[in-house]
């Protein structure tokens, strides 16, 4: 009797099938800088030094968190890859960087080529939306480590900016305005709390139709994170933007102060239409306003800090932009009127 790798739980043939299924999705993301094809040991990418004579590479990595459990409960895996890309490229965008390429790491308990294809299809969709090439990745089959059907995904993005174009917040000052782009919903943060609220406190199921949300609960929870690259880069090219912030884990409370010069606070004094998912979740568990704003984005996905005169020009050019506040002298906090600020 002989023991094979397959007997130990790793099926090389299925791995090869998964690679073939991925191939067309990966190729759809390739840009002019890509120098290697699928299957290379490493991805090569050429920098356009004419467009970037003083190039600075900007990198970021992130995962999707326990939102993955919703995808598994729904048995829908074609959007979670978008989240993996979004969480990385939105972060490097904050420094003014244009995404160049993306790599993913996917770990599964038992490799299902069809499931893997769905996941990577989502990654490719996200990469195309960000203008980034998917030039590398790893799919690891890890029996006894992940349960059958379970998986985890993480991503790594690299972008580029000219040194003189780095957005670092050093020039921010009291009186500067806060403009924002809306989120598409929960994005990919706070899902440990989300799952506690909907499944334990609310006794709900992913397939439940929620009139207040206008659809199926699981579909709302799986709504992909918005990718802001194509919205932000044209604004960066047209206006002097002092600082930016991606509103992810920590919400407005923790993310805005990270972008500001010392001695400043962000005072939120504008109103916006908070997506229904947030008050719905809040009522399920009686969550305090302060906790909601500390955990969730509350409908704001990306924030710009600009001079007052720049703010008026930007608002006139982009009707989706929201005016949500102003910088004031302070100790590096976000002041929210809903919680007594």
């Amino acid at each position: 009797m002989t023991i094979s790798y397959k007997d130990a739980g790793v099926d090389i043939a299925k791995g090869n099938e998964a690679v073939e299924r991925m191939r067309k999705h990966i190729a759809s993301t390739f840009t002019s800088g890509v120098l290697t094809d699928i299957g290379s040991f490493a991805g090569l990418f050429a920098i356009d030094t004419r467009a970037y004579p003083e190039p600075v590479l900007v990198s970021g990595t992130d995962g999707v968190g326990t939102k993955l459990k919703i995808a598994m409960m729904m048995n829908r895996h074609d959007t979670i890859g978008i989240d993996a890309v979004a969480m990385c490229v939105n972060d490097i965008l904050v420094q003014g960087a244009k995404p160049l390429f993306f790599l993913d790491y996917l770990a599964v308990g038992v490799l299902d080529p069809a499931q893997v294809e769905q996941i990577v299809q989502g990654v490719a969709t996200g990469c195309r939306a960000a203008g980034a090439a998917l030039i590398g990745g790893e799919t690891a089959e890890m029996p006894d480590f992940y349960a059958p059907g379970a998986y985890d995904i993480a991503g790594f993005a690299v972008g580029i900016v000219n040194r003189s174009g780095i957005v670092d917040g050093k020039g921010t000052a009291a009186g500067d305005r806060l403009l924002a782009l809306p989120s598409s919903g929960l994005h990919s943060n706070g899902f440990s709390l989300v799952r506690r609220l909907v499944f334990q406190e609310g006794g709900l199921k992913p397939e439940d139709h929620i009139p207040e949300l206008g659809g199926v609960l699981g579909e709302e929870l799986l709504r992909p994170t918005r990718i802001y690259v194509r919205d932000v880069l044209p604004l960066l090219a047209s206006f002097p933007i002092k600082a930016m912030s991606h509103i992810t884990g920590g919400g407005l409370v923790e993310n805005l102060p990270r972008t500001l010069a010392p001695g400043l606070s962000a005072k939120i004094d504008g109103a916006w239409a908070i997506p229904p998912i947030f008050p719905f979740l809040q009522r399920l568990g009686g969550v305090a306003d302060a906790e909601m704003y500390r955990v969730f984005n509350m409908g704001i996905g990306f924030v710009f800090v600009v001079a007052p005169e720049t703010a008026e020009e930007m608002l006139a050019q982009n009707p989706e932009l929201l005016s949500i506040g102003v910088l004031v002298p302070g100790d590096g906090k976000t002041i929210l009127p809903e919680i007594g600020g």
Side-chain angles (χ1 to χ4, degrees):
M1 177 180 178
T2 61
I3 300 296
S4 69
Y5 207 6
K6 185 175 181 180
D7 293 326
V10 178
D11 191 328
I12 295 174
K14 284 188 176 180
N16 293 335
E17 180 187 344
V19 170
E20 289 306 311
R21 284 172 172 263
M22 296 179 203
R23 189 175 294 275
K24 62 180 180 296
H25 303 297
I26 296 170
S28 72
T29 72
F30 282 2
T31 59
S32 59
V34 178
L35 302 182
T36 46
D37 202 352
I38 300 160
S40 300
F41 280 92
L44 302 182
F45 194 96
I47 293 173
D48 183 352
T49 53
R50 291 172 297 179
Y52 295 93
E54 44 173 8
V56 174
L57 296 180
V58 184
S59 62
T61 185
D62 209 338
V64 179
T66 62
K67 186 174 184 176
L68 289 167
K69 283 188 170 289
I70 309 298
M72 295 170 202
M73 294 170 76
M74 293 286 289
N75 194 27
R76 180 178 175 187
H77 311 285
D78 60 340
T79 63
I80 210 74
I82 300 173
D83 291 293
V85 175
M87 299 303 286
C88 296
V89 298
N90 287 343
D91 277 358
I92 66 172
L93 185 62
V94 166
Q95 309 301 143
K98 177 186 184 297
L100 292 177
F101 57 84
F102 186 83
L103 301 96
D104 64 350
Y105 172 78
L106 176 63
V108 303
V110 176
L111 199 150
D112 176 348
Q115 181 193 62
V116 170
E117 181 183 8
Q118 286 186 51
I119 297 167
V120 175
Q121 179 182 355
V123 173
T125 298
C127 284
R128 291 194 300 271
L134 177 55
I135 66 169
E138 166 70 1
T139 302
E141 189 171 15
M142 300 169 66
D144 303 326
F145 196 88
Y146 294 95
Y151 61 91
D152 194 10
I153 185 170
F156 180 85
V158 172
I160 191 168
V161 62
N162 276 316
R163 184 181 293 272
S164 59
I166 295 172
V167 180
D168 57 16
K170 291 179 179 178
T172 52
D176 284 345
R177 297 271 298 280
L178 302 173
L179 305 184
L181 288 167
S183 71
S184 57
L186 286 168
H187 286 185
S188 298
N189 294 107
F191 271 81
S192 293
L193 177 56
V194 170
R195 291 183 299 107
R196 167 68 185 268
L197 292 172
V198 297
F199 302 134
Q200 295 186 41
E201 302 300 323
L204 300 170
K205 298 177 181 178
E207 61 269 21
D208 287 345
H209 185 276
I210 310 297
E212 169 176 2
L213 302 179
V216 174
L217 175 62
E219 295 292 336
E220 178 62 36
L221 299 184
L222 278 183
R223 189 183 298 274
T225 304
R226 178 171 173 179
I227 293 174
Y228 291 97
V229 175
R230 297 188 190 277
D231 304 291
V232 172
L233 290 180
L235 292 173
L236 274 174
S238 301
F239 299 102
I241 294 171
K242 296 185 177 185
M244 298 185 289
S245 180
H246 178 208
I247 308 305
T248 59
L252 290 164
V253 174
E254 295 184 5
N255 284 290
L256 271 179
R258 294 165 60 187
T259 70
L260 307 179
L264 295 171
S265 287
K267 183 180 180 182
I268 306 300
D269 58 14
W272 60 89
I274 295 177
I277 185 62
F278 297 107
F280 171 75
L281 292 172
Q282 185 173 24
R283 285 195 299 274
L284 286 176
V287 184
D289 283 351
E291 185 72 355
M292 291 295 295
Y293 277 98
R294 191 170 70 91
V295 175
F296 301 117
N297 66 61
M298 299 301 286
I300 298 296
F302 204 91
V303 177
F304 306 89
V305 181
V306 296
E309 60 274 17
T310 304
E312 295 306 318
E313 295 176 8
M314 289 176 65
L315 288 166
Q317 177 173 308
N318 190 329
E320 191 185 19
L321 281 170
L322 305 166
S323 178
I324 65 167
V326 65
L327 297 190
V328 297
D331 54 356
K333 294 182 179 178
T334 299
I335 304 166
L336 295 162
E338 293 83 354
I339 58 174

